[in-house]
Amino acid sequence: MKLEHVAMYVHDLEEMRAFFEKYFGAQSNDMYHNTKTGLQTYFLTFDDGARLELMTRPEVEEGVPSLYQAGLIHLAFSVGSKEKVDTMTKQFLADGYQVLSGPRTTGDGYYESAIVALEGNQIEITE
């Protein structure tokens, strides 16, 4: 069995697409737009074939993000090395993103850092 994709509603579809293209090398398809419902989506594909669907529509509600909310809480990207984790963390910090933790080795052996990306979404960068 394979997880086909993960989807998330966002407010600014274009900004979110650009974020994943810039920092994680995502490749986007052409936007799908359902004119009846207002739904707009992009499928982003990453080097290993994993896919993320970004969606927006007029009914998307503003939530109050919490670091400890129930449900899906973060996306984790393996970048291949500790050095790359360090470099990307510095870049996110320089670009104004909040670094929640790291880079560090976790109790279960992961070398990672965690940031708050656009719209309050948490991203982990692992080796």
Side-chain angles (χ1 to χ4, degrees):
M1 189 173 304
K2 171 183 158 183
L3 179 63
E4 208 303 308
H5 70 274
V6 174
M8 60 193 293
Y9 274 119
V10 301
H11 294 284
D12 190 327
L13 189 63
E14 296 300 330
E15 184 178 38
M16 195 66 80
R17 179 180 58 87
F19 172 86
F20 286 106
E21 288 174 336
K22 175 181 179 178
Y23 292 106
F24 297 102
Q27 298 293 314
S28 178
N29 69 340
D30 292 333
M31 181 199 301
Y32 166 74
H33 183 199
N34 182 323
T35 56
K36 288 183 180 182
T37 66
L39 174 70
Q40 296 176 314
T41 69
Y42 285 115
F43 272 96
L44 305 181
T45 303
F46 299 90
D47 288 343
D48 70 349
R51 297 192 325 150
L52 173 64
E53 183 180 14
L54 300 177
M55 309 179 301
T56 195
R57 63 187 306 145
E59 300 86 2
V60 172
E61 297 178 6
E62 189 67 44
V64 179
S66 167
L67 295 180
Y68 304 106
Q69 67 194 30
L72 295 175
I73 194 63
H74 67 256
L75 299 174
F77 290 89
S78 174
V79 297
S81 71
K82 289 181 179 181
E83 293 77 19
K84 183 75 173 173
V85 172
D86 295 346
T87 300
M88 289 185 73
T89 303
K90 288 176 188 170
Q91 184 64 57
F92 281 120
L93 193 57
D95 290 349
Y97 294 97
Q98 177 187 359
V99 176
L100 295 173
S101 65
R104 67 190 179 103
T105 302
T106 64
D108 55 357
Y110 282 93
Y111 188 77
E112 68 179 31
S113 64
I115 67 156
V116 177
L118 300 173
E119 300 187 19
N121 293 293
Q122 294 179 53
I123 306 285
E124 284 185 1
I125 305 132
T126 70
E127 68 175 304

